[in-house]
Amino acid sequence: MSEDNSSSPDDQPGTAPPATDAATPPSPQPTSGEPRPTDSQAIAAIPRRRHPTLSLPAEHGHGDGNGHHRPKGKKELAALSLGALGVVYGDIGTSPLYAVKECLGYGSPHGVVASQGNVLGVISLVFWALTLIVVIKYLTFVLRADNRGEGGILALAALVRQTQPTKNLTKLSIPILLALFGAGLLYGDGAITPAISILGAMEGIAEKSPGLRHLIVPITVAILVVLFAFQRIGTGKIGSVFGWIVMVWFAAIAIAGVPQIIARPDILYAINPIHGIRMIAENGWHSLALLGSVVLVVTGGEALYADMGHFGRKPIRLAWYVIAFPALLLNYFGQGALFLQHPNTTNPFYALVDGPMLVPMIILATMAAVIASQALISGVFSLTHQAIQLGYAPRLTVVHTSEKAEGQIYIPEVNYLLMVACIALVIWKQNSSALAGAYGIAVTGTMAITTYLMFIVGRRNWHKPLWQVGTFVAIFLIIDLGFLFANLPKIPVGGWFPLVVGVGVFIVFTTWWRGKRELAAITDAGSMPSQMFLDDIRETKLPRVSGTAVFMTSNSDGIPGVLLHHVKHNKVLHRQVVLLSVATSNSPWMAGNQALEVRPLEQGFYRVVVTVGFMQSPNVPRILARCEAHGLVCNEMDTTYYLGRQTLVIVKGGAMARWRKWLFALLLRNARPATSFFQVPPNRVVELGLQIEL
């Protein structure tokens, strides 16, 4: 038997399990900060690089009502495009550091001999991978599928859920399970990207001076430590320069590739897909490992979709077509032309700038790698924040690092776990080629899931003919699965890492969801109908004391167990009692005039239901202050907040497996206090003990 002391489920924010029985987008389900949304609400959490730091529902003053950004003029469009360049394309923009090297580099364990046919074939595969996956799949089709302006694999699953009802309240549907597993894979991606990007940039030191090769790993580790140490101050202050640095980076890699293309213009024949097909046929099974390296050129492609809600479709597309795509093609074709002249090149990227420009390129590559790493780290913070808000993860410390509407968040626990994982990967693998073996599984897995979900959206949401969506899936699922299977041989040499991380995160998400559902069912069974309780209060004439008592509740119609416990033991009530429910919407933000409902009951009781967007954090004192306009006046210095302090007892039997109960108890025991999430003054909180058998 095990015991766990933690806040009761009626008082814990952001982790209540979502329901699974809505066929259409339902209204938000009120909770006590542990929002209990439907599937379509729960999977609307979008891994994004930046967050509004609104502490309570408030008006959001931009967009067209669906969350899309509509630039008012060319200046604003240029600014958004520059921001998209820095945040969205930082990861894919650093792929030239290692992608072609893994395919053709002399001595590469995954590559092929740099003959003319193989060089043309590899560059052809690179060109068509970028064109088919980024240009056609994501920019042309996937960006059209938005959840009220928000993008990402979870938003896509939300669209699917709206047309896929189920009456089974104890299981998550397949699209949600796939989306959660895809989200878990992104955690593995978030650990590998900083390691491989910065390590790949630092390997230029060996090109400058081979005798300094032993310094690559220590310098990389030092940069990673500094990078993660500075996360606490947020990237808002330096975020404005990210776009300019990445723009300079793209200009530099484009210029570096041009001389080689001029010297060997026959590299442009690689545009013909026949060269790629012929090379795959000639190399047989070895082409499978080669495709696993080619996929490195599209790592970061999911960011196009995930950041749509922040920048909008047009700026993302403009930044790609005007700057990112041309620069990447010039550099990749330049590296291919270099191999036509020097087949034994070890590191083609830095060989393009061998000479006086090598050191400046190393510095610029390091800056670009740090920016790419920052984007992935912020994305993991965002993903974790959404999981907490929507009931898939226990409470962690969420620090808003900016007071601006477009601020940043920082999660210390996740930050340090990522830092340890990144440093361990660098020390373990020692070079980017070895790390490339662990890369690609997460990206290809997420892309394949996206294609599957797009098929369902096309059929059920857009009502497209089967031949249209079938053609889309037939083409892109073959490509995605081809890249995915090409990465399977990497599993023994490091590819297992993102899979283990993904499975681990998936287990945590589903266990927390299931555990909170079981606890919610137990506590709801112990609640009392509101009118019955009020009638009993009227008859017993309990003593009333001055002031206001605030009780958090997940049931908008009943009396929470913590209030019943309070009356049972203290036999007294405040003159004014507020039953406060907080719901999470499937919209990123909620307008203030639409998000607050105050219902007077009787005997001095009030029911307050407030809805926050999944990008907002509730601030209970401010919410109560806004209730004054609705007739509910709470004196801040005379208000007491009541939270439940539960003792969780693990017993045999029940719907949950025993190992899940133990894991859930561990997560619950280490969850952060509800007071910090609700931003409630700790010195005005009273906790009451409850014991629950699970």
Side-chain angles (χ1 to χ4, degrees), residues 28 37 41 44 148 390 583-590 611-614:
Q41 296 166 335
R148 300 191 179 186
L390 297 161
T584 299
S585 170
N586 63 343
S587 297
W589 46 78
M590 290 295 295
T611 305
V612 298
F614 61 75

Side-chain angles (χ1 to χ4, degrees), residues 311-584:
F311 297 102
R313 295 190 187 98
K314 191 172 183 179
I316 288 177
R317 287 170 173 164
L318 186 64
W320 173 259
Y321 288 120
V322 175
I323 299 176
F325 193 35
L328 288 171
L329 290 182
L330 288 174
N331 191 265
Y332 284 132
F333 276 84
Q335 291 188 46
L338 179 68
F339 272 111
L340 291 179
Q341 301 176 76
H342 307 286
N344 293 332
T345 300
T346 303
N347 193 323
F349 178 82
Y350 284 114
L352 291 177
V353 291
D354 191 20
M357 294 304 296
L358 179 58
V359 173
M361 182 61 82
I362 293 174
I363 296 173
L364 184 59
T366 303
M367 297 172 66
V370 169
I371 292 173
S373 303
Q374 179 62 60
L376 264 295
I377 294 168
S378 299
V380 172
F381 289 164
S382 176
L383 183 62
T384 305
H385 184 225
Q386 303 311 318
I388 294 171
Q389 289 280 77
L390 297 161
Y392 291 122
R395 292 186 311 274
L396 299 174
T397 304
V398 179
V399 180
H400 292 273
T401 58
S402 173
E403 296 297 330
K404 305 292 184 180
E406 298 294 338
Q408 300 281 334
I409 63 170
Y410 166 67
I411 303 179
E413 297 91 340
V414 175
N415 183 64
Y416 292 121
L417 283 175
L418 280 180
M419 182 180 71
V420 171
C422 288
I423 293 175
L425 284 172
V426 170
I427 296 175
W428 173 36
K429 290 297 187 178
Q430 297 286 312
N431 60 75
S432 61
S433 294
L435 265 177
Y439 214 18
I441 292 287
V443 175
T444 54
T446 303
M447 288 181 175
I449 293 172
T450 299
T451 300
Y452 164 70
L453 296 178
M454 278 295 295
F455 170 77
I456 299 178
V457 168
R459 285 291 291 160
R460 297 183 178 178
N461 295 69
W462 298 344
H463 306 292
K464 295 293 183 180
L466 180 60
W467 70 268
Q468 287 187 4
V469 292
T471 302
F472 173 87
V473 170
I475 294 174
F476 291 108
L477 201 57
I478 289 174
I479 296 173
D480 294 335
L481 292 179
F483 281 133
L484 179 60
F485 286 123
N487 279 276
L488 294 182
K490 295 181 179 181
I491 292 178
V493 294
W496 55 267
F497 176 79
L499 289 178
V500 169
V501 173
V503 170
V505 172
F506 177 80
I507 290 174
V508 169
F509 281 178
T510 54
T511 298
W512 184 260
W513 179 87
R514 184 63 181 274
K516 296 309 298 180
R517 175 168 292 280
E518 295 296 328
L519 283 183
I522 294 172
T523 55
D524 286 349
S527 64
M528 178 183 293
S530 300
Q531 193 58 50
M532 180 184 298
F533 177 80
L534 294 174
D535 292 340
D536 188 57
I537 292 298
R538 184 188 306 109
E539 294 175 2
T540 57
K541 299 182 179 179
L542 281 178
R544 309 296 288 265
V545 297
S546 62
T548 300
V550 178
F551 293 88
M552 313 300 294
T553 173
S554 60
N555 190 342
S556 61
D557 295 323
I559 300 299
V562 66
L563 174 53
L564 298 175
H565 205 58
H566 167 66
V567 171
K568 176 182 177 181
H569 290 281
N570 296 326
K571 296 179 175 57
V572 67
L573 278 175
H574 288 72
R575 286 200 177 91
Q576 188 167 258
V577 179
V578 177
L579 306 178
L580 178 62
S581 301
V582 180
T584 299

Side-chain angles (χ1 to χ4, degrees), residues 95-256:
S95 295
L97 286 168
Y98 45 79
V100 175
K101 181 182 71 172
E102 295 307 311
C103 297
L104 294 168
Y106 183 73
S108 171
H110 311 293
V112 294
V113 177
S115 63
Q116 181 170 345
N118 285 341
V119 170
L120 291 175
V122 166
I123 301 304
S124 179
L125 291 176
V126 169
F127 172 79
W128 285 104
L130 287 170
T131 301
L132 291 174
I133 294 179
V134 179
V135 174
I136 298 179
K137 177 181 175 179
Y138 276 96
L139 291 178
T140 304
F141 289 104
V142 177
L143 282 188
R144 296 174 55 200
D146 66 278
N147 186 338
R148 300 191 179 186
E150 296 296 330
I153 187 172
L154 297 176
L156 193 58
L159 294 177
V160 171
R161 184 62 205 139
Q162 293 174 9
T163 57
Q164 191 180 51
T166 178
K167 296 181 179 180
N168 193 335
L169 303 180
T170 62
K171 294 182 179 180
L172 291 167
S173 63
I174 291 178
I176 299 175
L177 291 173
L178 287 174
L180 290 177
F181 182 69
L185 290 176
L186 291 176
Y187 279 86
D189 192 12
I192 297 174
T193 295
I196 193 173
S197 298
I198 297 177
L199 194 56
M202 287 295 99
E203 286 172 349
I205 294 176
E207 299 296 319
K208 179 64 177 178
S209 178
L212 299 178
R213 185 179 297 274
H214 65 283
L215 296 178
I216 293 176
V217 170
I219 293 176
T220 300
V221 171
I223 292 175
L224 286 171
V225 170
V226 173
L227 172 64
F228 283 100
F230 273 90
Q231 293 301 312
R232 66 175 61 250
I233 67 173
T235 58
K237 296 181 180 179
I238 60 175
S240 59
V241 302
F242 277 11
W244 291 107
I245 294 175
V246 175
M247 178 181 285
V248 173
W249 164 255
F250 277 123
I253 65 174
I255 294 172

